[in-house]
Coordinates of all heavy atoms in Angstrom, one line a residue:
M1 N 87.6 84.4 78.6 CA 88.7 84.7 79.3 C 89.1 86.2 79.1 O 89.4 86.9 80.2 CB 89.9 83.8 78.9 CG 91.1 84.0 79.8 SD 90.8 83.8 81.6 CE 90.7 82.1 81.8
Q2 N 88.9 86.7 77.9 CA 89.1 88.1 77.6 C 88.2 89.0 78.5 O 88.7 90.0 79.0 CB 88.9 88.4 76.2 CG 90.2 88.4 75.3 CD 89.9 88.6 73.9 OE1 88.8 88.6 73.4 NE2 91.0 89.0 73.2
Q3 N 87.0 88.6 78.6 CA 86.0 89.4 79.3 C 86.4 89.3 80.8 O 86.3 90.4 81.5 CB 84.6 88.8 79.2 CG 83.9 89.1 77.9 CD 83.5 90.5 77.8 OE1 84.4 91.4 77.5 NE2 82.3 90.9 78.1
M4 N 86.8 88.2 81.3 CA 87.2 88.0 82.7 C 88.4 89.0 83.0 O 88.4 89.6 84.1 CB 87.6 86.6 83.0 CG 86.5 85.5 82.9 SD 85.0 86.0 84.0 CE 85.7 85.7 85.5
C5 N 89.4 88.9 82.1 CA 90.6 89.8 82.3 C 90.2 91.3 82.3 O 90.7 92.0 83.2 CB 91.6 89.5 81.2 SG 92.4 87.9 81.5
A6 N 89.3 91.7 81.3 CA 88.9 93.0 81.3 C 88.1 93.4 82.6 O 88.3 94.5 83.2 CB 88.0 93.2 80.0
F7 N 87.3 92.5 83.0 CA 86.5 92.7 84.2 C 87.4 92.9 85.4 O 87.2 94.0 86.1 CB 85.6 91.4 84.4 CG 84.8 91.4 85.8 CD1 83.7 92.3 85.8 CD2 85.2 90.8 86.9 CE1 82.9 92.3 87.0 CE2 84.5 90.8 88.1 CZ 83.4 91.5 88.1
W8 N 88.4 92.1 85.7 CA 89.2 92.2 86.9 C 90.1 93.4 86.7 O 90.5 94.0 87.8 CB 90.0 90.9 87.2 CG 89.1 89.9 87.8 CD1 88.6 88.8 87.3 CD2 88.5 90.1 89.2 NE1 87.7 88.2 88.2 CE2 87.7 88.9 89.4 CE3 88.6 91.0 90.2 CZ2 87.0 88.8 90.6 CZ3 87.9 90.8 91.4 CH2 87.1 89.7 91.5
S9 N 90.5 93.8 85.6 CA 91.3 95.0 85.3 C 90.5 96.2 85.7 O 90.9 97.1 86.3 CB 91.7 95.0 83.8 OG 92.2 96.3 83.5
S10 N 89.2 96.2 85.3 CA 88.3 97.4 85.7 C 88.0 97.4 87.2 O 88.1 98.4 87.8 CB 87.0 97.2 84.9 OG 87.1 97.5 83.6
V11 N 87.8 96.2 87.8 CA 87.5 96.1 89.2 C 88.6 96.5 90.1 O 88.6 97.3 91.0 CB 86.9 94.7 89.6 CG1 86.9 94.6 91.1 CG2 85.6 94.4 88.9
A12 N 89.8 95.9 89.7 CA 91.0 96.1 90.6 C 91.7 97.4 90.3 O 92.3 98.0 91.2 CB 91.9 94.9 90.4
L13 N 91.8 97.8 89.0 CA 92.6 98.9 88.7 C 91.8 100.1 88.1 O 92.4 101.1 87.8 CB 93.6 98.5 87.6 CG 94.5 97.3 87.9 CD1 95.3 96.9 86.6 CD2 95.4 97.5 89.1
M14 N 90.4 99.9 88.1 CA 89.5 101.0 87.6 C 90.0 101.4 86.1 O 90.0 102.6 85.8 CB 89.4 102.1 88.5 CG 88.9 101.7 89.9 SD 88.0 103.0 90.7 CE 89.3 104.1 91.2
S15 N 90.4 100.4 85.3 CA 90.9 100.7 84.0 C 89.8 101.0 83.0 O 90.0 101.5 81.9 CB 91.7 99.5 83.5 OG 90.8 98.4 83.3
G16 N 88.5 100.7 83.3 CA 87.4 100.9 82.4 C 87.5 100.0 81.2 O 86.8 100.3 80.2
R17 N 88.2 98.9 81.3 CA 88.3 98.0 80.1 C 87.0 97.1 79.9 O 86.8 96.6 78.9 CB 89.5 97.0 80.3 CG 90.8 97.6 79.7 CD 92.0 96.7 80.0 NE 91.7 95.3 79.4 CZ 92.4 94.2 79.8 NH1 93.4 94.4 80.7 NH2 92.1 93.1 79.3
Y18 N 86.3 96.9 81.0 CA 85.1 96.0 80.9 C 83.9 96.8 80.6 O 83.5 97.7 81.3 CB 85.0 95.2 82.2 CG 83.8 94.3 82.2 CD1 83.8 93.1 81.5 CD2 82.7 94.6 83.0 CE1 82.7 92.3 81.5 CE2 81.6 93.8 83.0 CZ 81.6 92.5 82.2 OH 80.5 91.7 82.3
H19 N 83.2 96.3 79.5 CA 81.9 96.9 79.2 C 80.9 95.7 79.1 O 80.7 95.2 78.1 CB 81.9 97.7 77.9 CG 82.9 98.7 77.9 ND1 82.7 99.9 78.6 CD2 84.2 98.8 77.4 CE1 83.8 100.7 78.4 NE2 84.7 100.0 77.7
G20 N 80.3 95.3 80.2 CA 79.4 94.2 80.2 C 78.5 94.3 81.3 O 78.5 95.2 82.1
S21 N 77.7 93.2 81.4 CA 76.8 93.1 82.6 C 76.8 91.7 83.2 O 76.1 90.8 82.7 CB 75.4 93.4 82.0 OG 74.5 93.2 83.0
P22 N 77.7 91.5 84.2 CA 77.9 90.1 84.7 C 76.5 89.6 85.3 O 76.2 88.4 85.2 CB 78.8 90.3 85.8 CG 79.5 91.6 85.7 CD 78.6 92.4 84.8
M23 N 75.7 90.5 85.8 CA 74.4 90.1 86.4 C 73.6 89.3 85.4 O 73.1 88.3 85.7 CB 73.7 91.4 86.9 CG 72.4 91.0 87.7 SD 72.9 90.2 89.3 CE 73.3 91.5 90.3
V24 N 73.6 89.8 84.1 CA 72.7 89.2 83.1 C 73.2 87.8 82.9 O 72.4 86.8 82.7 CB 72.8 90.0 81.8 CG1 72.2 89.3 80.6 CG2 72.2 91.4 82.0
K25 N 74.5 87.5 82.9 CA 75.1 86.1 82.6 C 74.7 85.2 83.8 O 74.6 84.0 83.6 CB 76.6 86.2 82.5 CG 77.0 86.9 81.4 CD 77.1 86.0 80.1 CE 77.4 86.8 78.9 NZ 77.9 86.0 77.8
H26 N 74.6 85.8 85.0 CA 74.4 84.9 86.2 C 73.0 84.7 86.6 O 72.6 83.7 87.2 CB 75.2 85.5 87.4 CG 76.7 85.5 87.1 ND1 77.3 86.5 86.5 CD2 77.6 84.6 87.4 CE1 78.6 86.2 86.3 NE2 78.9 85.1 86.9
L27 N 72.1 85.6 86.2 CA 70.7 85.5 86.6 C 70.0 84.2 86.3 O 69.3 83.7 87.1 CB 69.9 86.7 86.1 CG 69.9 88.1 86.7 CD1 69.1 89.1 86.0 CD2 69.5 87.9 88.2
P28 N 70.2 83.6 85.1 CA 69.5 82.3 84.8 C 70.2 81.1 85.4 O 69.6 80.0 85.3 CB 69.6 82.3 83.3 CG 70.6 83.2 82.8 CD 71.0 84.1 84.0
L29 N 71.3 81.3 86.1 CA 72.0 80.0 86.6 C 71.3 79.5 87.8 O 70.8 80.3 88.7 CB 73.5 80.4 86.9 CG 74.3 80.9 85.8 CD1 75.8 81.2 86.3 CD2 74.4 79.9 84.7
P30 N 71.2 78.1 88.0 CA 70.5 77.6 89.1 C 71.4 77.5 90.4 O 71.7 76.4 90.9 CB 70.1 76.2 88.6 CG 71.3 75.8 87.7 CD 71.7 77.2 87.0
I31 N 72.0 78.6 90.8 CA 72.9 78.6 91.8 C 72.4 79.4 93.1 O 71.5 80.1 93.0 CB 74.3 79.2 91.4 CG1 74.1 80.6 90.9 CG2 74.9 78.3 90.4 CD1 75.5 81.3 90.4
D32 N 73.0 79.1 94.3 CA 72.6 79.8 95.5 C 73.9 80.0 96.4 O 75.0 79.9 95.9 CB 71.5 79.0 96.2 CG 71.9 77.7 96.8 OD1 73.1 77.3 96.7 OD2 71.0 77.1 97.4
A33 N 73.6 80.2 97.7 CA 74.7 80.5 98.6 C 75.8 79.4 98.6 O 77.0 79.8 98.7 CB 74.1 80.7 100.0
V34 N 75.4 78.2 98.4 CA 76.4 77.1 98.5 C 77.4 77.3 97.4 O 78.6 77.2 97.6 CB 75.7 75.7 98.3 CG1 76.7 74.5 98.2 CG2 74.8 75.5 99.5
H35 N 76.9 77.6 96.1 CA 77.9 77.8 95.0 C 78.8 79.0 95.2 O 80.0 79.0 94.8 CB 77.0 77.9 93.7 CG 76.2 76.7 93.5 ND1 74.9 76.7 93.9 CD2 76.4 75.5 93.0 CE1 74.3 75.5 93.7 NE2 75.2 74.8 93.1
F36 N 78.2 80.1 95.7 CA 78.9 81.3 95.9 C 80.0 81.0 97.0 O 81.1 81.5 96.8 CB 78.1 82.5 96.3 CG 77.4 83.0 95.0 CD1 76.1 82.8 94.8 CD2 78.2 83.8 94.2 CE1 75.5 83.3 93.6 CE2 77.6 84.3 92.9 CZ 76.2 84.0 92.7
D37 N 79.7 80.3 98.0 CA 80.7 80.0 99.0 C 81.9 79.2 98.5 O 83.0 79.4 98.8 CB 80.1 79.3 100.3 CG 79.2 80.1 101.1 OD1 79.3 81.4 100.9 OD2 78.5 79.7 102.0
C38 N 81.5 78.2 97.6 CA 82.5 77.4 97.0 C 83.3 78.2 96.1 O 84.6 78.1 96.1 CB 81.7 76.3 96.2 SG 82.7 75.1 95.6
W39 N 82.7 79.0 95.2 CA 83.4 79.9 94.3 C 84.4 80.8 95.1 O 85.6 80.9 94.7 CB 82.4 80.8 93.6 CG 82.9 81.6 92.4 CD1 82.8 81.3 91.1 CD2 83.7 82.9 92.5 NE1 83.5 82.4 90.4 CE2 84.0 83.3 91.2 CE3 84.0 83.7 93.6 CZ2 84.6 84.5 90.9 CZ3 84.8 84.9 93.3 CH2 85.1 85.2 92.0
L40 N 83.9 81.4 96.2 CA 84.8 82.3 96.9 C 85.9 81.6 97.6 O 87.1 82.1 97.7 CB 84.0 83.1 98.0 CG 83.1 84.3 97.5 CD1 82.2 84.8 98.5 CD2 84.1 85.4 97.1
A41 N 85.7 80.4 98.1 CA 86.8 79.6 98.7 C 87.9 79.3 97.7 O 89.1 79.5 98.0 CB 86.2 78.3 99.3
L42 N 87.5 79.0 96.5 CA 88.5 78.6 95.4 C 89.2 80.0 95.1 O 90.5 80.0 94.9 CB 87.8 78.1 94.1 CG 87.3 76.7 94.3 CD1 86.4 76.3 93.1 CD2 88.4 75.7 94.4
F43 N 88.5 81.1 94.9 CA 89.0 82.3 94.6 C 90.0 82.8 95.6 O 91.2 83.2 95.3 CB 88.0 83.4 94.4 CG 88.4 84.7 93.8 CD1 88.4 84.9 92.5 CD2 88.9 85.7 94.7 CE1 88.9 86.1 92.0 CE2 89.3 86.9 94.2 CZ 89.3 87.2 92.9
E44 N 89.7 82.6 96.8 CA 90.5 83.1 98.0 C 91.8 82.3 98.1 O 92.9 82.8 98.3 CB 89.7 83.1 99.3 CG 88.7 84.2 99.2 CD 87.8 84.3 100.5 OE1 88.2 83.9 101.6 OE2 86.7 84.8 100.4
T45 N 91.7 81.0 97.9 CA 92.8 80.1 97.9 C 93.8 80.5 96.8 O 95.0 80.6 97.0 CB 92.5 78.6 97.7 OG1 91.5 78.3 98.7 CG2 93.7 77.7 97.8
T46 N 93.3 80.8 95.6 CA 94.1 81.1 94.5 C 94.8 82.5 94.7 O 95.9 82.6 94.4 CB 93.2 81.1 93.2 OG1 92.6 79.9 93.1 CG2 94.1 81.3 92.0
A47 N 94.0 83.4 95.2 CA 94.5 84.8 95.4 C 95.7 84.7 96.4 O 96.7 85.4 96.2 CB 93.4 85.7 95.9
R48 N 95.5 83.8 97.5 CA 96.6 83.7 98.5 C 97.8 83.1 97.9 O 98.9 83.5 98.2 CB 96.0 82.8 99.6 CG 96.7 83.0 101.0 CD 96.1 82.2 102.1 NE 94.6 82.3 102.1 CZ 93.7 81.3 102.1 NH1 94.2 80.1 102.0 NH2 92.5 81.5 102.1
E49 N 97.6 82.1 96.9 CA 98.7 81.5 96.3 C 99.5 82.4 95.4 O 100.8 82.3 95.3 CB 98.2 80.3 95.5 CG 98.1 79.0 96.2 CD 97.4 78.0 95.5 OE1 97.3 78.0 94.2 OE2 96.8 77.1 96.0
I50 N 98.8 83.3 94.7 CA 99.5 84.0 93.6 C 99.8 85.5 93.8 O 100.5 86.1 93.1 CB 98.9 83.7 92.2 CG1 97.5 84.4 92.2 CG2 98.8 82.3 91.8 CD1 96.7 84.3 90.8
C51 N 99.1 86.1 94.8 CA 99.2 87.5 95.0 C 100.0 87.9 96.3 O 100.0 87.1 97.3 CB 97.8 88.1 95.2 SG 96.7 87.9 93.8
P52 N 100.7 89.0 96.2 CA 101.3 89.5 97.5 C 100.1 89.9 98.4 O 99.0 90.2 97.9 CB 102.1 90.7 97.0 CG 102.0 90.8 95.5 CD 101.0 89.8 95.1
P53 N 100.3 90.0 99.7 CA 99.2 90.1 100.7 C 98.3 91.3 100.4 O 97.1 91.2 100.4 CB 99.9 90.3 102.0 CG 101.1 89.6 101.8 CD 101.6 89.7 100.4
A54 N 98.8 92.5 100.0 CA 98.0 93.7 99.8 C 97.1 93.5 98.6 O 95.9 93.8 98.6 CB 98.8 94.9 99.6
A55 N 97.6 92.8 97.5 CA 96.8 92.6 96.3 C 95.7 91.6 96.6 O 94.6 91.7 96.1 CB 97.7 92.1 95.1
E56 N 96.2 90.5 97.3 CA 95.2 89.5 97.8 C 94.0 90.1 98.4 O 92.8 89.8 98.1 CB 95.9 88.5 98.7 CG 95.0 87.4 99.2 CD 95.5 86.8 100.5 OE1 96.7 86.7 100.8 OE2 94.6 86.2 101.3
A57 N 94.3 90.9 99.4 CA 93.2 91.6 100.2 C 92.3 92.5 99.3 O 91.1 92.4 99.4 CB 93.8 92.4 101.4
H58 N 92.9 93.1 98.3 CA 92.2 94.0 97.4 C 91.3 93.2 96.5 O 90.1 93.5 96.4 CB 93.3 94.7 96.5 CG 92.8 95.8 95.6 ND1 92.5 97.0 96.1 CD2 92.6 95.8 94.3 CE1 92.1 97.8 95.1 NE2 92.1 97.1 94.0
F59 N 91.7 92.1 95.9 CA 90.9 91.2 95.1 C 89.8 90.6 95.9 O 88.6 90.5 95.5 CB 91.8 90.1 94.4 CG 92.5 90.6 93.2 CD1 93.8 90.9 93.2 CD2 91.8 90.9 92.0 CE1 94.5 91.3 92.0 CE2 92.4 91.3 90.8 CZ 93.8 91.5 90.8
V60 N 90.2 90.0 97.0 CA 89.2 89.2 97.8 C 88.1 90.1 98.4 O 86.9 89.7 98.3 CB 89.9 88.5 99.0 CG1 88.9 87.9 100.0 CG2 90.8 87.4 98.4
E61 N 88.4 91.3 98.8 CA 87.3 92.2 99.3 C 86.4 92.5 98.1 O 85.1 92.4 98.4 CB 88.0 93.5 99.8 CG 87.2 94.3 100.7 CD 86.8 95.6 100.0 OE1 87.7 96.3 99.4 OE2 85.6 96.0 100.1
R62 N 86.9 92.7 96.9 CA 86.0 93.0 95.8 C 85.2 91.8 95.4 O 84.0 91.9 95.1 CB 86.8 93.6 94.7 CG 87.1 95.1 94.9 CD 88.3 95.6 94.2 NE 88.5 97.1 94.6 CZ 89.1 97.4 95.8 NH1 89.5 96.5 96.7 NH2 89.2 98.7 96.1
A63 N 85.8 90.6 95.4 CA 85.2 89.5 95.0 C 84.0 89.1 95.9 O 82.9 88.8 95.5 CB 86.1 88.2 95.0
R64 N 84.2 89.3 97.2 CA 83.2 89.1 98.2 C 82.0 90.0 97.9 O 80.8 89.6 98.0 CB 83.7 89.2 99.6 CG 84.6 88.1 100.1 CD 84.9 88.3 101.5 NE 85.8 87.2 101.9 CZ 86.7 87.4 102.9 NH1 86.7 88.5 103.6 NH2 87.5 86.4 103.2
R65 N 82.3 91.3 97.7 CA 81.2 92.2 97.5 C 80.4 91.9 96.3 O 79.2 92.0 96.3 CB 81.9 93.7 97.4 CG 80.9 94.8 97.6 CD 81.5 96.1 98.1 NE 82.9 96.4 97.7 CZ 83.3 96.7 96.5 NH1 82.5 96.9 95.5 NH2 84.6 97.0 96.3
I66 N 81.1 91.5 95.2 CA 80.4 91.4 93.9 C 79.7 90.0 94.0 O 78.5 89.9 93.5 CB 81.4 91.3 92.7 CG1 82.1 92.6 92.5 CG2 80.7 90.8 91.4 CD1 83.4 92.6 91.8
A67 N 80.2 89.0 94.7 CA 79.5 87.8 94.8 C 78.2 88.0 95.6 O 77.1 87.4 95.2 CB 80.4 86.7 95.6
A68 N 78.3 88.8 96.7 CA 77.1 89.1 97.4 C 76.0 89.7 96.6 O 74.8 89.5 96.7 CB 77.5 89.9 98.7
S69 N 76.5 90.7 95.7 CA 75.6 91.4 94.9 C 74.9 90.5 93.9 O 73.7 90.6 93.5 CB 76.2 92.7 94.4 OG 76.2 92.8 93.1
L70 N 75.7 89.5 93.3 CA 75.1 88.6 92.3 C 74.1 87.7 93.0 O 73.1 87.4 92.5 CB 76.3 87.8 91.7 CG 77.2 88.5 90.7 CD1 78.3 87.5 90.3 CD2 76.5 89.0 89.5
E71 N 74.5 87.3 94.2 CA 73.5 86.4 95.0 C 72.2 87.1 95.3 O 71.1 86.6 95.1 CB 74.2 85.9 96.3 CG 73.4 84.8 97.0 CD 74.1 84.3 98.2 OE1 75.3 84.1 98.2 OE2 73.4 84.1 99.3
L72 N 72.3 88.4 95.6 CA 71.2 89.2 95.9 C 70.3 89.3 94.6 O 69.1 89.3 94.7 CB 71.7 90.6 96.4 CG 70.7 91.5 97.0 CD1 70.4 91.0 98.4 CD2 71.2 93.0 97.0
G73 N 71.0 89.6 93.5 CA 70.3 89.7 92.2 C 69.6 88.4 91.8 O 68.4 88.5 91.3
I74 N 70.3 87.3 92.0 CA 69.7 86.0 91.6 C 68.5 85.7 92.5 O 67.4 85.4 92.0 CB 70.7 84.9 91.7 CG1 71.7 85.1 90.6 CG2 70.1 83.5 91.7 CD1 73.0 84.2 90.8
A75 N 68.6 86.0 93.8 CA 67.5 85.8 94.7 C 66.3 86.8 94.2 O 65.1 86.3 94.1 CB 67.9 86.2 96.1
G76 N 66.6 88.0 94.0 CA 65.5 88.9 93.5 C 64.9 88.4 92.2 O 63.6 88.5 92.1
G77 N 65.7 87.9 91.3 CA 65.1 87.3 90.1 C 64.2 86.2 90.3 O 63.3 85.9 89.5
Q78 N 64.3 85.5 91.5 CA 63.4 84.4 91.8 C 62.3 84.9 92.7 O 61.6 84.1 93.4 CB 64.2 83.3 92.5 CG 65.3 82.7 91.8 CD 64.8 82.1 90.4 OE1 63.8 81.3 90.5 NE2 65.5 82.4 89.4
G79 N 62.2 86.2 92.9 CA 61.2 86.8 93.8 C 61.4 86.7 95.2 O 60.5 86.9 96.1
V80 N 62.7 86.5 95.6 CA 63.1 86.5 97.0 C 63.9 87.7 97.4 O 64.9 88.0 96.8 CB 64.0 85.2 97.3 CG1 64.5 85.2 98.7 CG2 63.2 83.9 96.9
L81 N 63.4 88.5 98.3 CA 64.0 89.7 98.8 C 64.8 89.4 100.0 O 64.3 89.1 101.1 CB 62.9 90.7 99.1 CG 63.3 92.2 99.1 CD1 63.8 92.6 97.7 CD2 62.2 93.1 99.5
L82 N 66.1 89.4 99.8 CA 67.0 89.1 101.0 C 67.2 90.3 101.9 O 67.3 91.4 101.4 CB 68.4 88.7 100.5 CG 68.5 87.3 99.7 CD1 70.0 87.1 99.4 CD2 67.9 86.2 100.5
G83 N 67.2 90.1 103.2 CA 67.5 91.1 104.2 C 69.0 91.2 104.3 O 69.8 90.4 103.8
I84 N 69.4 92.1 105.1 CA 70.9 92.3 105.4 C 71.5 91.1 106.0 O 70.9 90.6 107.0 CB 71.1 93.6 106.2 CG1 70.8 94.8 105.4 CG2 72.6 93.7 106.6 CD1 70.7 96.1 106.2
G85 N 72.5 90.5 105.5 CA 73.2 89.3 106.0 C 72.4 88.0 105.7 O 73.0 86.9 106.0
E86 N 71.3 88.1 105.1 CA 70.6 86.9 104.6 C 71.2 86.3 103.4 O 71.7 86.9 102.6 CB 69.1 87.1 104.4 CG 68.2 86.8 105.5 CD 66.7 87.0 105.1 OE1 66.4 88.1 104.5 OE2 65.9 86.1 105.3
R87 N 71.1 84.9 103.3 CA 71.6 84.2 102.2 C 70.5 83.6 101.4 O 69.4 83.4 101.9 CB 72.6 83.1 102.6 CG 73.7 83.5 103.5 CD 74.7 84.4 102.8 NE 75.2 84.0 101.5 CZ 76.3 83.2 101.5 NH1 76.9 82.8 102.5 NH2 76.7 82.8 100.2
F88 N 70.8 83.4 100.1 CA 69.8 82.8 99.2 C 70.1 81.2 99.1 O 71.1 80.8 98.7 CB 69.8 83.4 97.8 CG 68.9 82.8 96.8 CD1 67.6 82.7 97.1 CD2 69.4 82.3 95.6 CE1 66.6 82.2 96.2 CE2 68.5 81.8 94.7 CZ 67.1 81.7 95.0
R89 N 69.1 80.5 99.5 CA 69.2 79.0 99.4 C 68.0 78.3 98.8 O 66.9 78.6 99.1 CB 69.3 78.5 100.9 CG 70.5 79.0 101.6 CD 70.7 78.3 102.9 NE 71.7 79.1 103.7 CZ 73.0 79.0 103.5 NH1 73.6 78.1 102.6 NH2 73.9 79.8 104.2
R90 N 68.4 77.4 97.9 CA 67.3 76.5 97.3 C 67.4 75.2 97.9 O 68.3 74.9 98.7 CB 67.7 76.4 95.8 CG 67.9 77.7 95.0 CD 68.2 77.4 93.5 NE 68.8 78.5 92.9 CZ 68.2 79.1 91.9 NH1 67.1 78.7 91.3 NH2 68.9 80.2 91.2
D91 N 66.4 74.3 97.7 CA 66.5 72.9 98.3 C 67.2 72.1 97.3 O 67.8 72.5 96.3 CB 65.1 72.4 98.6 CG 64.3 72.1 97.3 OD1 64.8 72.1 96.2 OD2 63.0 71.9 97.5
E92 N 67.4 70.7 97.7 CA 68.2 69.9 96.9 C 67.8 69.7 95.5 O 68.6 69.4 94.6 CB 68.3 68.4 97.6 CG 69.4 68.3 98.6 CD 68.8 68.0 100.0 OE1 68.1 67.0 100.1 OE2 69.1 68.7 101.0
A93 N 66.5 69.9 95.2 CA 66.0 69.8 93.9 C 66.2 71.0 93.1 O 65.8 71.2 91.9 CB 64.5 69.4 93.9
G94 N 66.8 72.0 93.7 CA 67.1 73.3 93.0 C 65.8 74.2 93.1 O 65.9 75.3 92.5
E95 N 64.8 73.8 93.9 CA 63.6 74.7 94.0 C 63.9 75.7 95.1 O 64.7 75.5 96.0 CB 62.4 73.8 94.4 CG 62.1 72.7 93.3 CD 61.8 73.3 92.0 OE1 61.2 74.4 91.9 OE2 62.1 72.6 91.0
L96 N 63.0 76.7 95.1 CA 63.1 77.7 96.2 C 62.7 77.1 97.5 O 61.7 76.4 97.6 CB 62.3 78.9 95.8 CG 62.6 79.6 94.5 CD1 61.7 80.8 94.3 CD2 64.1 80.0 94.5
R97 N 63.3 77.5 98.6 CA 62.9 77.1 99.9 C 61.9 78.1 100.5 O 62.0 79.2 100.3 CB 64.0 77.0 100.9 CG 64.7 75.7 100.7 CD 65.7 75.6 101.9 NE 66.8 74.6 101.5 CZ 67.9 74.4 102.1 NH1 68.1 75.2 103.2 NH2 68.7 73.6 101.7
Ligands
HEM101 C1 79.1 79.9 91.8 C2 79.3 81.1 91.3 C3 79.5 81.5 89.8 C4 79.1 80.7 88.7 C5 78.5 79.3 88.6 C6 79.4 81.5 87.5 C7 79.3 81.2 86.2 C8 79.4 82.0 85.1 C9 79.0 81.7 83.8 C10 78.3 80.4 83.3 C11 79.3 82.7 83.0 C12 79.1 82.9 81.5 C13 80.2 82.4 80.7 C14 79.9 82.6 79.2 O1 79.5 83.7 78.8 O2 80.3 81.7 78.5 C15 80.0 83.7 83.9 C16 80.5 84.9 83.4 C17 81.2 85.7 84.2 N1 81.3 85.7 85.6 FE1 80.7 84.2 86.8 N2 80.0 82.7 88.0 C18 80.0 82.7 89.3 C19 80.4 83.7 90.2 C20 81.1 84.9 89.7 C21 81.6 85.9 90.6 C22 81.5 85.9 92.1 C23 82.1 86.9 89.8 C24 82.7 88.1 90.1 C25 83.4 88.4 91.3 C26 81.9 86.4 88.4 C27 82.3 87.2 87.3 C28 81.9 86.8 86.0 C29 82.2 87.6 84.8 C30 82.9 89.0 84.8 C31 81.7 87.0 83.7 C32 81.8 87.5 82.2 C33 80.5 88.3 82.0 C34 80.5 88.8 80.6 O3 80.5 88.0 79.6 O4 80.4 90.1 80.4 N3 81.3 85.2 88.4 N4 80.0 83.2 85.2

């Protein structure tokens, strides 16, 4: 939780509090576009509930950008090079399509 707070403080306020590498934590996870869409839907609902509109837009815009970059990194780690606007999808068994 401390890392998450430092991360969002750095992302939203450019406080420089976070010194880590989120990509490294996410690369080994068996996740794809479905999980990122789900994550973003939850994040966006929560941001709408608790933030004033300008802050909500600020957080959501950054969350979308970072989620897309994590998805791109995970795809790359699996040897899949995504084109612009392309999503990373595995099959039901978690294998690459
Ligand atoms: C389905 C999508 C995601 C899953 C399943 C996921 C899961 C995880 C897991 C398992 C960890 C490691 C926790 C630990 O060290 O105990 C983690 C860390 C973290 N995640 Fe995610 N995550 C997702 C999306 C995101 C997104 C979109 C962001 C940013 C916008 C994010 C930001 C972070 C950060 C900042 C950390 C801490 C990294 C550190 O320890 O330095 N995650 N996440």
Side-chain angles (χ1 to χ4, degrees):
M1 188 52 78
Q2 261 178 348
Q3 283 292 78
M4 296 302 291
C5 290
F7 174 79
W8 280 108
S9 165
S10 284
V11 169
L13 307 172
M14 300 210 290
S15 65
R17 270 177 56 196
Y18 179 72
H19 303 283
S21 172
M23 191 62 85
V24 170
K25 295 272 169 162
H26 297 87
L27 277 180
L29 302 178
I31 57 178
D32 71 1
V34 173
H35 304 91
F36 280 105
D37 286 347
C38 190
W39 189 102
L40 278 169
L42 290 168
F43 186 92
E44 290 178 26
T45 304
T46 308
R48 207 174 310 125
E49 273 169 22
I50 65 175
C51 298
E56 176 202 337
H58 190 78
F59 277 107
V60 166
E61 198 248 314
R62 280 154 184 79
R64 285 185 186 158
R65 195 158 26 79
I66 297 162
S69 125
L70 290 175
E71 191 176 318
L72 195 75
I74 290 169
Q78 302 299 317
V80 176
L81 201 60
L82 294 182
I84 293 168
E86 259 186 310
R87 304 296 308 274
F88 177 54
R89 298 188 191 279
R90 309 179 195 242
D91 68 13
E92 272 121 54
E95 303 299 328
L96 304 181
R97 275 191 203 167

